Amino acid sequence: MSEPLPPQYNPQENEDPLYRWWEEQGYFRADAHSTREPYVIVIPPPNVTAVLHMGHGLNNTVQDAFVRYRRMTGREALWMPGTDHAGIATQNVVERILAKEGHTRYDLGREAFVKRVWEFVDETGGKILTQLRAIGCSLDWSRTRFTLDPELSAAVREVFVRLHEKGLVYRGNRIINWCPRCLTALSDEEAEAKETPGRLYHLRYPLAEGVDAPGLPRLPDGRPYLVVATTRPETMLGDTGVAVHPGDERYAALVGREIDLPLAGRRIPIVADDYVDPEFGSGAVKMTPAHDPNDFDVAQRTGLASLNVMTPDAVMNDAAPEAFRGMDRFEARRAVVAAFEQLGLLEKTEEHAHAVPHCYRCDTVVEPRLSEQWFVRMKPLAEPALQAWRDGDLRFQPERFGKIYEHWMENIRDWCISRQLWWGHRIPVWYCQAEACAETIVAREAPTSCPKCEGTNLEQDPDVLDTWFSSWLWPFSTMGWPAETDDLRAFYPGHSLVTAPEILFFWVARMVMAGIEFRGEIPFTDVYFTGTVRDHLGRKMSKSLGNGIDPLVVKERYGADALRYTVISGSGAATDQYLNYENLEETFGPGRNFANKLWNAGRFALMNLGDDPRIPVDEVRDSLEPMDRWILSRATNAIREVTEALERFRLQDAALRGYEFFWGELADWYLELVKPRLRGDMGDDSRRAAQATLAEALDTALRLLHPIMPFITETVWQKLPRAAGAGEALIVARWPEARAEWTDEAAERGIEELQAVIGAVRGIRSEYGIQPAARVPVRIAGSDEAVAMMEASRRALRDLARVEELTFAGANGEIGASAVLRSGTEVFIPLAGVIDLDRERARLREEIGRIDGQIAGGEKKLSNESFVARAPENVVAYERDKLVSFREQRGKLAEKLAALEGAA
RNA sequence: GCUCGCUUAGCUCAGCUGGUCCAGAGCGCUCGCUUCACACGCGAGAGGUCGCAGGUUCGAAUCCUGCAGCGAGCACCA
């Protein structure tokens, strides 16, 4: 016999050594030269500065489960690890550190600052990759990549140059989203609209002197005026015109005339443009081309000038009237409104909720700003990416995300890719400084001289690229592209992608475009969206709220498997998950208990299988008993259902079915049923058959659960005896195969009947308070098949239901309790001599008397006219319902009493 | 404003293409058990008019319509 194991599983001492052993075995490594069919997932690279949180825990457990499953089915499975340099995010982290030292990045200068960031990243970066090991993630660490690696940077430049050559990258002076705190341009996706309460200010703009406008209202001094509305009054300082609809008769005569712009002391023209909706507001719109994208468009059409009145950090600049210079934009807003009010030019102010864009990194209100930036023309890239979804080549899990994808692709706008940051991929563009030349050079490597004028005074564009401009290449840049590497041939295109819904546009959609554009194939076929991890109050877990759960603390207290089982069984695709950070026991206890149950089933098996080689089921085929055939049949069913669930990306179903098979079928029933046989009570053949079947069923359960709970399943499996001559060193070597010949409907029916009978006996025992240790006689009447089954199951009934003597006959008017099963089988327990009948009858009579009293009370109440008249309707209804339930209860008790009083 | 999703036991959720689901699980709750794998356990229970109102159907938690509440995505109406 083996050493006896402790009765409780200790994940803390098992998990990390086991992980190291897997890694040493090279188990996670994928071979590009394998002849096996590949299966590839690329990790959504976490920010290099990230620390593992529950969102990662969920997302990476899902990926690991997918990868481990495919690996078990014999695929050459690659899970590609790595991190993202995360432009703004990382730069912000280091800038905050500098700020504590009393410095800004400008104090250091660009070169020193970037060096500093590299030091920071080299020192603390990638910590999360170690943490992913702790929760069992089976990534191929030999391939770990970073988006700023030389090879990946080369891929970025290659893509920029190629797109430029195709005319898909261009530079333009346009309104972009600007973060006044990060001091950089943002893409549309990086500006998050947030519903914010605001005000709509209606401003009076007087017409220039001498303009006649009979239909317009007039100021006290007699000047006619137009009313314009705005939510951002400070921008009026940069107004360069007022627009009306060309067909608006009210203003037709005013087009071409001028406005005296208040506060600014400038005259601005009135123009006509279709953009204006004559039905909305006054039908006149102020135009601030430098601070509003729509106004900018109108200005392009009508020839209005653009006047930028703000500095990069959103302070009113020298183009603004002196009184406002140096004011922050919100301060200026108040000042402008106050000035209008004082001049009698504030028509009215309305409460107005609207969506205000915020920086996705620092939450500052984004300021639309006119500036020169680099863009990617997206329409040509979007079309084939959309088609891939329409053709069914690209699928989303859950499917509804397809529509969101479609909508975005159809309305796609050009992507602003330049960032005024220092940390990231420098834009591969150089400008010739020769005065007469000013050539723009786009190149893969730094040029030494200008190809046009041969001048050597070249300056590289100071900006870096959007961090997502490297992320969108991840599925192939990690594999050596643009070189035609073995990895690329073997592992592109990949298969599944697991990510959060908010990354759909940032990353998923763009990866599809890049995959098609540069490799001619979509990078993956299935996209699985995880939900958001929230606390028990439904709030998103976040550092600032302090409502997070540290996955490593969970691992420490409950084990990584408990963590994994909890997140997998607790949520489906794109379903939010609620975890209580105040009560970890409630949240993760069940997962730990499940692992412990597996451990103990393993202990049980070890005690009963001995050290001899495992007996194959086929060897004991002829000695199999119904319970053996039943559990093998259930195992076959479980294999089918778990496999199907995994194939359909229904991880939750896979986990729950595995749980049900192991705990509800194998542990609750089979283990209990075979105990006497394993002890040898029923002879040697029976024992061998039970041992073989137990080993098989437990083996199946462990394998089915392995993708979700790799540590405990491997640990238990390693301890079990192997088949003679079998060389399997790892549980994971094989996914179980459903053997059709093991499906046995007769055995299933038989054991179900047995379970029902045992359940009925237990129910009666509990109901009548029969001592647990007391044995009871039982009579059973049913079909021949049912009777035969029970006849053969005397031992099971004795052990599991404490049945004393089993006879087959009807109740026949005796005193006792009976139950009729769904199958029609009747179970009867004579109670004379088992319990104190007199006492039980007395108890029942007392109970009935009590209920009768309640019924009488209720009836009296309801027949009391004044009560019915005065009481609210719902109270009356409640009394009626109560009466009905009392009568029902009374009926049951009376029936029971009658049974105990006998035929009389 | 447009589009989409959700609303099932105290809590968190399963219930796929309508009929053995006269509704299921885990947690929690009640009662009873130190039964020789496991008290991180075993056995037995209580608890739901499946958001509301209509409709289709022989039959609906499951399909359709409307309403309400919650959530998400998108949006230039100043």
Side-chain angles (χ1 to χ4, degrees), chain A residues 277-300:
Chain A
D277 176 1
E279 303 293 319
F280 189 86
S282 67
V285 187
K286 65 187 274 301
M287 289 290 126
T288 321
H291 296 280
D292 185 286
N294 303 305
D295 296 0
F296 182 75
D297 288 346
V298 173
Q300 295 285 294

PDB file of all heavy atoms in Angstrom, chain A residues 277-300:
ATOM      1  N   ASP A 277     -29.378  72.551 -39.112  1.00  0.00           N
ATOM      2  CA  ASP A 277     -30.772  72.116 -39.098  1.00  0.00           C
ATOM      3  C   ASP A 277     -31.640  73.317 -38.721  1.00  0.00           C
ATOM      4  O   ASP A 277     -31.588  73.793 -37.586  1.00  0.00           O
ATOM      5  CB  ASP A 277     -30.926  71.000 -38.050  1.00  0.00           C
ATOM      6  CG  ASP A 277     -32.381  70.552 -37.908  1.00  0.00           C
ATOM      7  OD1 ASP A 277     -33.238  71.103 -38.630  1.00  0.00           O
ATOM      8  OD2 ASP A 277     -32.639  69.666 -37.078  1.00  0.00           O
ATOM      9  N   PRO A 278     -32.423  73.826 -39.683  1.00  0.00           N
ATOM     10  CA  PRO A 278     -33.196  75.057 -39.416  1.00  0.00           C
ATOM     11  C   PRO A 278     -34.262  74.854 -38.340  1.00  0.00           C
ATOM     12  O   PRO A 278     -34.711  75.810 -37.715  1.00  0.00           O
ATOM     13  CB  PRO A 278     -33.823  75.395 -40.772  1.00  0.00           C
ATOM     14  CG  PRO A 278     -33.782  74.137 -41.554  1.00  0.00           C
ATOM     15  CD  PRO A 278     -32.643  73.332 -41.042  1.00  0.00           C
ATOM     16  N   GLU A 279     -34.616  73.592 -38.104  1.00  0.00           N
ATOM     17  CA  GLU A 279     -35.662  73.312 -37.124  1.00  0.00           C
ATOM     18  C   GLU A 279     -35.124  73.366 -35.691  1.00  0.00           C
ATOM     19  O   GLU A 279     -35.875  73.471 -34.735  1.00  0.00           O
ATOM     20  CB  GLU A 279     -36.249  71.906 -37.356  1.00  0.00           C
ATOM     21  CG  GLU A 279     -36.801  71.676 -38.745  1.00  0.00           C
ATOM     22  CD  GLU A 279     -38.036  72.522 -39.007  1.00  0.00           C
ATOM     23  OE1 GLU A 279     -38.869  72.640 -38.091  1.00  0.00           O
ATOM     24  OE2 GLU A 279     -38.142  73.080 -40.118  1.00  0.00           O
ATOM     25  N   PHE A 280     -33.833  73.197 -35.563  1.00  0.00           N
ATOM     26  CA  PHE A 280     -33.269  73.086 -34.224  1.00  0.00           C
ATOM     27  C   PHE A 280     -32.881  74.456 -33.670  1.00  0.00           C
ATOM     28  O   PHE A 280     -32.221  75.249 -34.328  1.00  0.00           O
ATOM     29  CB  PHE A 280     -32.043  72.176 -34.239  1.00  0.00           C
ATOM     30  CG  PHE A 280     -31.529  71.849 -32.866  1.00  0.00           C
ATOM     31  CD1 PHE A 280     -32.044  70.786 -32.147  1.00  0.00           C
ATOM     32  CD2 PHE A 280     -30.545  72.638 -32.279  1.00  0.00           C
ATOM     33  CE1 PHE A 280     -31.577  70.498 -30.882  1.00  0.00           C
ATOM     34  CE2 PHE A 280     -30.081  72.358 -31.002  1.00  0.00           C
ATOM     35  CZ  PHE A 280     -30.599  71.287 -30.298  1.00  0.00           C
ATOM     36  N   GLY A 281     -33.271  74.730 -32.455  1.00  0.00           N
ATOM     37  CA  GLY A 281     -32.918  75.988 -31.796  1.00  0.00           C
ATOM     38  C   GLY A 281     -33.331  77.173 -32.635  1.00  0.00           C
ATOM     39  O   GLY A 281     -34.434  77.212 -33.188  1.00  0.00           O
ATOM     40  N   SER A 282     -32.442  78.145 -32.736  1.00  0.00           N
ATOM     41  CA  SER A 282     -32.768  79.367 -33.490  1.00  0.00           C
ATOM     42  C   SER A 282     -32.485  79.186 -34.975  1.00  0.00           C
ATOM     43  O   SER A 282     -32.822  80.032 -35.788  1.00  0.00           O
ATOM     44  CB  SER A 282     -31.935  80.523 -32.953  1.00  0.00           C
ATOM     45  OG  SER A 282     -30.566  80.294 -33.253  1.00  0.00           O
ATOM     46  N   GLY A 283     -31.825  78.076 -35.321  1.00  0.00           N
ATOM     47  CA  GLY A 283     -31.474  77.862 -36.716  1.00  0.00           C
ATOM     48  C   GLY A 283     -30.168  78.539 -37.105  1.00  0.00           C
ATOM     49  O   GLY A 283     -29.769  78.509 -38.261  1.00  0.00           O
ATOM     50  N   ALA A 284     -29.505  79.132 -36.106  1.00  0.00           N
ATOM     51  CA  ALA A 284     -28.199  79.734 -36.365  1.00  0.00           C
ATOM     52  C   ALA A 284     -27.163  79.051 -35.472  1.00  0.00           C
ATOM     53  O   ALA A 284     -27.433  78.777 -34.307  1.00  0.00           O
ATOM     54  CB  ALA A 284     -28.239  81.232 -36.054  1.00  0.00           C
ATOM     55  N   VAL A 285     -25.996  78.724 -36.044  1.00  0.00           N
ATOM     56  CA  VAL A 285     -24.984  77.987 -35.298  1.00  0.00           C
ATOM     57  C   VAL A 285     -23.671  78.747 -35.320  1.00  0.00           C
ATOM     58  O   VAL A 285     -23.225  79.200 -36.384  1.00  0.00           O
ATOM     59  CB  VAL A 285     -24.757  76.590 -35.916  1.00  0.00           C
ATOM     60  CG1 VAL A 285     -23.832  75.771 -35.032  1.00  0.00           C
ATOM     61  CG2 VAL A 285     -26.082  75.874 -36.101  1.00  0.00           C
ATOM     62  N   LYS A 286     -23.069  78.900 -34.140  1.00  0.00           N
ATOM     63  CA  LYS A 286     -21.757  79.528 -34.073  1.00  0.00           C
ATOM     64  C   LYS A 286     -20.722  78.575 -34.638  1.00  0.00           C
ATOM     65  O   LYS A 286     -20.824  77.344 -34.456  1.00  0.00           O
ATOM     66  CB  LYS A 286     -21.425  79.922 -32.634  1.00  0.00           C
ATOM     67  CG  LYS A 286     -21.273  78.748 -31.681  1.00  0.00           C
ATOM     68  CD  LYS A 286     -21.125  79.201 -30.243  1.00  0.00           C
ATOM     69  CE  LYS A 286     -19.682  79.508 -29.877  1.00  0.00           C
ATOM     70  NZ  LYS A 286     -18.754  78.403 -30.041  1.00  0.00           N
ATOM     71  N   MET A 287     -19.718  79.081 -35.295  1.00  0.00           N
ATOM     72  CA  MET A 287     -18.711  78.253 -35.950  1.00  0.00           C
ATOM     73  C   MET A 287     -17.347  78.470 -35.300  1.00  0.00           C
ATOM     74  O   MET A 287     -16.816  79.578 -35.303  1.00  0.00           O
ATOM     75  CB  MET A 287     -18.609  78.627 -37.434  1.00  0.00           C
ATOM     76  CG  MET A 287     -19.804  78.190 -38.266  1.00  0.00           C
ATOM     77  SD  MET A 287     -19.806  76.387 -38.435  1.00  0.00           S
ATOM     78  CE  MET A 287     -21.447  76.007 -37.858  1.00  0.00           C
ATOM     79  N   THR A 288     -16.801  77.347 -34.725  1.00  0.00           N
ATOM     80  CA  THR A 288     -15.469  77.416 -34.130  1.00  0.00           C
ATOM     81  C   THR A 288     -14.613  76.351 -34.803  1.00  0.00           C
ATOM     82  O   THR A 288     -14.394  75.274 -34.243  1.00  0.00           O
ATOM     83  CB  THR A 288     -15.533  77.127 -32.610  1.00  0.00           C
ATOM     84  OG1 THR A 288     -16.704  77.732 -32.063  1.00  0.00           O
ATOM     85  CG2 THR A 288     -14.296  77.647 -31.907  1.00  0.00           C
ATOM     86  N   PRO A 289     -14.146  76.600 -35.975  1.00  0.00           N
ATOM     87  CA  PRO A 289     -13.498  75.544 -36.767  1.00  0.00           C
ATOM     88  C   PRO A 289     -12.283  74.900 -36.097  1.00  0.00           C
ATOM     89  O   PRO A 289     -12.010  73.724 -36.343  1.00  0.00           O
ATOM     90  CB  PRO A 289     -13.074  76.275 -38.041  1.00  0.00           C
ATOM     91  CG  PRO A 289     -13.983  77.455 -38.115  1.00  0.00           C
ATOM     92  CD  PRO A 289     -14.233  77.864 -36.701  1.00  0.00           C
ATOM     93  N   ALA A 290     -11.606  75.646 -35.218  1.00  0.00           N
ATOM     94  CA  ALA A 290     -10.402  75.060 -34.621  1.00  0.00           C
ATOM     95  C   ALA A 290     -10.719  74.181 -33.408  1.00  0.00           C
ATOM     96  O   ALA A 290      -9.840  73.522 -32.871  1.00  0.00           O
ATOM     97  CB  ALA A 290      -9.435  76.176 -34.220  1.00  0.00           C
ATOM     98  N   HIS A 291     -11.985  74.186 -32.983  1.00  0.00           N
ATOM     99  CA  HIS A 291     -12.299  73.444 -31.763  1.00  0.00           C
ATOM    100  C   HIS A 291     -13.532  72.560 -31.870  1.00  0.00           C
ATOM    101  O   HIS A 291     -14.090  72.140 -30.860  1.00  0.00           O
ATOM    102  CB  HIS A 291     -12.466  74.419 -30.586  1.00  0.00           C
ATOM    103  CG  HIS A 291     -11.205  75.156 -30.258  1.00  0.00           C
ATOM    104  ND1 HIS A 291     -10.201  74.610 -29.518  1.00  0.00           N
ATOM    105  CD2 HIS A 291     -10.765  76.380 -30.630  1.00  0.00           C
ATOM    106  CE1 HIS A 291      -9.201  75.472 -29.408  1.00  0.00           C
ATOM    107  NE2 HIS A 291      -9.515  76.562 -30.085  1.00  0.00           N
ATOM    108  N   ASP A 292     -13.978  72.330 -33.088  1.00  0.00           N
ATOM    109  CA  ASP A 292     -15.138  71.457 -33.266  1.00  0.00           C
ATOM    110  C   ASP A 292     -15.073  70.812 -34.644  1.00  0.00           C
ATOM    111  O   ASP A 292     -14.931  71.511 -35.646  1.00  0.00           O
ATOM    112  CB  ASP A 292     -16.422  72.284 -33.139  1.00  0.00           C
ATOM    113  CG  ASP A 292     -17.647  71.394 -33.185  1.00  0.00           C
ATOM    114  OD1 ASP A 292     -17.983  70.897 -34.296  1.00  0.00           O
ATOM    115  OD2 ASP A 292     -18.265  71.178 -32.143  1.00  0.00           O
ATOM    116  N   PRO A 293     -15.168  69.484 -34.675  1.00  0.00           N
ATOM    117  CA  PRO A 293     -15.000  68.790 -35.962  1.00  0.00           C
ATOM    118  C   PRO A 293     -16.060  69.174 -36.997  1.00  0.00           C
ATOM    119  O   PRO A 293     -15.745  69.295 -38.188  1.00  0.00           O
ATOM    120  CB  PRO A 293     -15.094  67.314 -35.591  1.00  0.00           C
ATOM    121  CG  PRO A 293     -15.611  67.247 -34.203  1.00  0.00           C
ATOM    122  CD  PRO A 293     -15.327  68.558 -33.550  1.00  0.00           C
ATOM    123  N   ASN A 294     -17.292  69.393 -36.568  1.00  0.00           N
ATOM    124  CA  ASN A 294     -18.331  69.743 -37.536  1.00  0.00           C
ATOM    125  C   ASN A 294     -18.125  71.140 -38.070  1.00  0.00           C
ATOM    126  O   ASN A 294     -18.280  71.400 -39.260  1.00  0.00           O
ATOM    127  CB  ASN A 294     -19.703  69.654 -36.886  1.00  0.00           C
ATOM    128  CG  ASN A 294     -19.934  68.281 -36.332  1.00  0.00           C
ATOM    129  OD1 ASN A 294     -19.831  67.290 -37.046  1.00  0.00           O
ATOM    130  ND2 ASN A 294     -20.186  68.209 -35.034  1.00  0.00           N
ATOM    131  N   ASP A 295     -17.779  72.034 -37.155  1.00  0.00           N
ATOM    132  CA  ASP A 295     -17.514  73.400 -37.573  1.00  0.00           C
ATOM    133  C   ASP A 295     -16.345  73.438 -38.548  1.00  0.00           C
ATOM    134  O   ASP A 295     -16.320  74.214 -39.492  1.00  0.00           O
ATOM    135  CB  ASP A 295     -17.218  74.287 -36.353  1.00  0.00           C
ATOM    136  CG  ASP A 295     -18.425  74.386 -35.420  1.00  0.00           C
ATOM    137  OD1 ASP A 295     -19.458  73.765 -35.731  1.00  0.00           O
ATOM    138  OD2 ASP A 295     -18.329  75.077 -34.391  1.00  0.00           O
ATOM    139  N   PHE A 296     -15.379  72.558 -38.273  1.00  0.00           N
ATOM    140  CA  PHE A 296     -14.215  72.502 -39.153  1.00  0.00           C
ATOM    141  C   PHE A 296     -14.641  72.099 -40.568  1.00  0.00           C
ATOM    142  O   PHE A 296     -14.201  72.692 -41.555  1.00  0.00           O
ATOM    143  CB  PHE A 296     -13.193  71.506 -38.606  1.00  0.00           C
ATOM    144  CG  PHE A 296     -11.940  71.421 -39.432  1.00  0.00           C
ATOM    145  CD1 PHE A 296     -10.997  72.429 -39.387  1.00  0.00           C
ATOM    146  CD2 PHE A 296     -11.716  70.333 -40.273  1.00  0.00           C
ATOM    147  CE1 PHE A 296      -9.837  72.357 -40.158  1.00  0.00           C
ATOM    148  CE2 PHE A 296     -10.565  70.254 -41.044  1.00  0.00           C
ATOM    149  CZ  PHE A 296      -9.620  71.275 -40.984  1.00  0.00           C
ATOM    150  N   ASP A 297     -15.539  71.122 -40.640  1.00  0.00           N
ATOM    151  CA  ASP A 297     -16.034  70.686 -41.958  1.00  0.00           C
ATOM    152  C   ASP A 297     -16.750  71.825 -42.662  1.00  0.00           C
ATOM    153  O   ASP A 297     -16.562  72.052 -43.859  1.00  0.00           O
ATOM    154  CB  ASP A 297     -17.001  69.511 -41.799  1.00  0.00           C
ATOM    155  CG  ASP A 297     -16.266  68.248 -41.405  1.00  0.00           C
ATOM    156  OD1 ASP A 297     -15.020  68.217 -41.524  1.00  0.00           O
ATOM    157  OD2 ASP A 297     -16.925  67.294 -40.953  1.00  0.00           O
ATOM    158  N   VAL A 298     -17.579  72.538 -41.921  1.00  0.00           N
ATOM    159  CA  VAL A 298     -18.313  73.653 -42.520  1.00  0.00           C
ATOM    160  C   VAL A 298     -17.327  74.700 -43.017  1.00  0.00           C
ATOM    161  O   VAL A 298     -17.461  75.243 -44.121  1.00  0.00           O
ATOM    162  CB  VAL A 298     -19.289  74.275 -41.495  1.00  0.00           C
ATOM    163  CG1 VAL A 298     -19.925  75.544 -42.065  1.00  0.00           C
ATOM    164  CG2 VAL A 298     -20.357  73.265 -41.096  1.00  0.00           C
ATOM    165  N   ALA A 299     -16.302  74.949 -42.199  1.00  0.00           N
ATOM    166  CA  ALA A 299     -15.305  75.951 -42.564  1.00  0.00           C
ATOM    167  C   ALA A 299     -14.589  75.566 -43.861  1.00  0.00           C
ATOM    168  O   ALA A 299     -14.312  76.413 -44.713  1.00  0.00           O
ATOM    169  CB  ALA A 299     -14.305  76.126 -41.433  1.00  0.00           C
ATOM    170  N   GLN A 300     -14.303  74.259 -44.003  1.00  0.00           N
ATOM    171  CA  GLN A 300     -13.651  73.784 -45.226  1.00  0.00           C
ATOM    172  C   GLN A 300     -14.507  74.107 -46.438  1.00  0.00           C
ATOM    173  O   GLN A 300     -14.005  74.507 -47.489  1.00  0.00           O
ATOM    174  CB  GLN A 300     -13.445  72.261 -45.153  1.00  0.00           C
ATOM    175  CG  GLN A 300     -12.490  71.813 -44.073  1.00  0.00           C
ATOM    176  CD  GLN A 300     -11.047  72.092 -44.427  1.00  0.00           C
ATOM    177  OE1 GLN A 300     -10.513  71.515 -45.371  1.00  0.00           O
ATOM    178  NE2 GLN A 300     -10.412  72.999 -43.694  1.00  0.00           N
TER     179      GLN A 300
END
